[in-house]
Amino acid sequence: MENEIDIEIRHAMQERGLHQEYAWGAMRGKNDKNVPLHRAMRPGDVCLFYTADKRDVDEPVKAYRWAARITQTLEDQQLADLVWPPAAPGESFELMYFLSTPVKVFITTKQISSLITAHGEKYADAPKGFMRLSDENLAYLNSVYGSPAGFLSYVLINYAEEDAPTFDYPELAAQIDSTDTTASFVDDLLTVRKKQKAKGKDSLVPQRRSKRSKEVGDEAELYVLDLLRDGQVPGVTAKDVEHVADQKVGWDIQYVDELGRRVMVEVKGSTATRFGSFELTINELNCLHQHGDKYHLYLVGGCKSKTRKVQVITDMAERLTLEKAKASPITFRVELIEH
């Protein structure tokens, strides 16, 4: 789910007319019990993936962790064995289904039961392998969300832990009038990662960014701008509020507080409702250290929902100094220079 199919395998697939990047698969099962389910799957169908696999030190277990829609199905043992080399003969995941970019979510079985049944009467336990929604509960889902696609949109807006790529999920690109939104100020939008034990190494999976992430970021900046100008940020009195992102000064917004101090605001927005991390440019990081407690971070989650979560962090410089937070370099720009 986290990684695309290996590039060599994708190249071989492309020669066969298969232009896919993500895949999952199921075994045929005893007496081929999974085959009819697989053959009933169609492009556009919605899939949720349950896992108890603890891939990371603070990875939640026993929950639905990924959401995607099917783009194509295929029965091909040879290709499946290339993608997932079998641990033993007869353990091929040959019932393949290809997917849109999977989006990381976190939905407990109790939550999924309340989402897709009228009274929480089913699906409150771990799924028993490869399974489909019953006709009765599919009808209930359609009555509540309009369609499986509507349900997927609801999941991505309310339970995603990373930006859903709007190239794959264009319905999330729809604009919402800021006058129709409400801000919920919280202190836990940015999750706290547990410290790694001495053995092993970090297994950081970078957050996948939407191909329209700038649009989301711009929307978040304008939203915070309105909150500050309208006096809607608890405990903040902001005068002379300016949007300065285009000036490349190292922050997006600045204002004068009640003590006459200039406060710098850097805004980070996401369609997800939780932040595992966020990115700063080297210029932004330097400004954070330079201005200390006058450099504030505003995180805006759920940028495509009507209820947006906002976390204001005023002490990130101190947290970095005290090693209560960590800034890790992700990319470096390499260029040749003349001597």
Side-chain angles (χ1 to χ4, degrees):
M1 292 291 104
E2 292 173 346
N3 302 305
E4 298 174 351
I5 301 170
D6 182 82
I7 184 63
E8 285 190 292
I9 299 174
R10 295 210 316 269
H11 182 72
M13 289 168 52
Q14 289 168 7
E15 293 179 345
R16 295 173 49 185
L18 295 171
H19 300 276
Q20 303 287 349
E21 296 179 343
Y22 294 91
W24 199 246
M27 295 183 184
R28 298 183 72 86
K30 187 176 181 179
N31 298 322
D32 287 350
K33 69 173 183 178
N34 288 332
V35 174
L37 286 175
H38 181 260
R39 291 178 179 173
M41 298 170 87
R42 296 290 183 269
D45 285 353
V46 174
C47 287
L48 295 179
F49 299 87
Y50 177 94
T51 176
D53 182 15
K54 197 173 180 67
R55 298 291 300 275
D56 195 19
V57 66
D58 57 353
E59 181 85 355
V61 297
K62 297 183 178 179
Y64 290 90
R65 300 296 292 125
W66 303 93
R69 58 165 54 101
I70 294 172
T71 56
Q72 187 176 351
T73 61
L74 185 68
E75 293 182 39
D76 191 322
Q77 180 181 344
Q78 185 178 15
L79 177 58
D81 288 350
L82 285 176
V83 178
W84 309 289
E91 295 187 355
S92 296
F93 295 90
E94 62 186 277
L95 304 181
M96 303 181 70
Y97 45 109
F98 299 101
L99 304 163
S100 58
T101 304
V103 180
K104 196 170 186 179
V105 300
F106 179 57
I107 312 175
T108 64
T109 53
K110 183 177 180 180
Q111 288 171 325
I112 201 69
S113 179
S114 67
L115 290 174
I116 61 179
T117 68
H119 307 290
E121 64 271 21
K122 294 178 66 176
Y123 309 109
D125 297 319
K128 296 175 175 59
F130 191 44
M131 58 184 289
R132 68 181 291 272
L133 206 61
S134 70
D135 291 340
E136 176 186 355
N137 291 116
L138 179 59
Y140 173 79
L141 181 147
N142 287 332
S143 70
V144 174
Y145 306 99
S147 66
F151 170 71
L152 179 60
S153 294
Y154 183 86
V155 165
L156 296 181
I157 289 172
N158 293 280
Y159 294 94
E161 292 193 318
E162 64 180 354
D163 277 337
T166 49
F167 179 81
D168 282 334
Y169 307 97
E171 61 271 26
L172 297 179
Q175 295 291 331
I176 295 177
D177 191 329
S178 60
T179 59
D180 293 335
T181 64
T182 58
S184 172
F185 289 89
V186 299
D187 59 8
D188 60 352
L189 183 57
L190 179 62
T191 57
V192 179
R193 293 175 57 85
K194 295 178 182 178
K195 286 187 176 180
Q196 299 280 6
K197 295 181 180 179
K199 62 180 180 179
K201 60 180 182 179
D202 290 353
S203 58
L204 179 63
V205 177
Q207 184 184 54
R208 281 187 289 242
R209 295 175 63 84
S210 166
K211 293 185 179 180
R212 297 178 67 176
S213 58
K214 185 179 185 306
E215 175 189 304
V216 175
D218 290 347
E219 189 172 334
E221 288 175 22
L222 293 176
Y223 189 63
V224 171
L225 193 67
D226 287 340
L227 291 177
L228 288 167
R229 285 176 173 168
D230 295 341
Q232 296 186 46
V233 182
V236 172
T237 300
K239 298 182 294 184
D240 302 327
V241 182
E242 297 180 81
H243 185 246
V244 296
D246 293 342
Q247 299 178 28
K248 309 297 182 185
V249 290
W251 55 89
D252 300 314
I253 299 168
Q254 62 187 32
Y255 66 87
V256 177
D257 68 10
E258 68 276 11
L259 300 177
R261 302 178 306 172
R262 184 177 66 162
V263 176
M264 286 66 70
V265 173
E266 176 62 26
V267 181
K268 300 297 178 184
S270 175
T271 57
T273 54
R274 295 205 297 181
F275 280 71
S277 62
F278 58 87
E279 296 177 9
L280 292 175
T281 66
I282 188 62
N283 185 32
E284 292 164 354
L285 184 60
N286 288 338
C287 290
L288 169 63
H289 286 299
Q290 178 184 352
H291 297 287
D293 63 359
K294 294 189 291 295
Y295 192 103
H296 297 176
L297 293 160
Y298 279 58
L299 309 182
V300 183
C303 281
K304 294 300 180 183
S305 68
K306 291 188 176 182
T307 302
R308 301 176 181 181
K309 292 184 177 181
V310 181
Q311 181 173 2
V312 182
I313 303 175
T314 62
D315 62 346
M316 185 56 77
E318 180 183 8
R319 294 191 196 200
L320 288 168
T321 300
L322 297 177
E323 297 186 353
K324 293 182 179 179
K326 181 174 68 172
S328 305
I330 299 176
T331 60
F332 291 90
R333 183 172 62 191
V334 179
E335 55 190 344
L336 299 177
I337 57 175
E338 183 179 358
H339 287 281

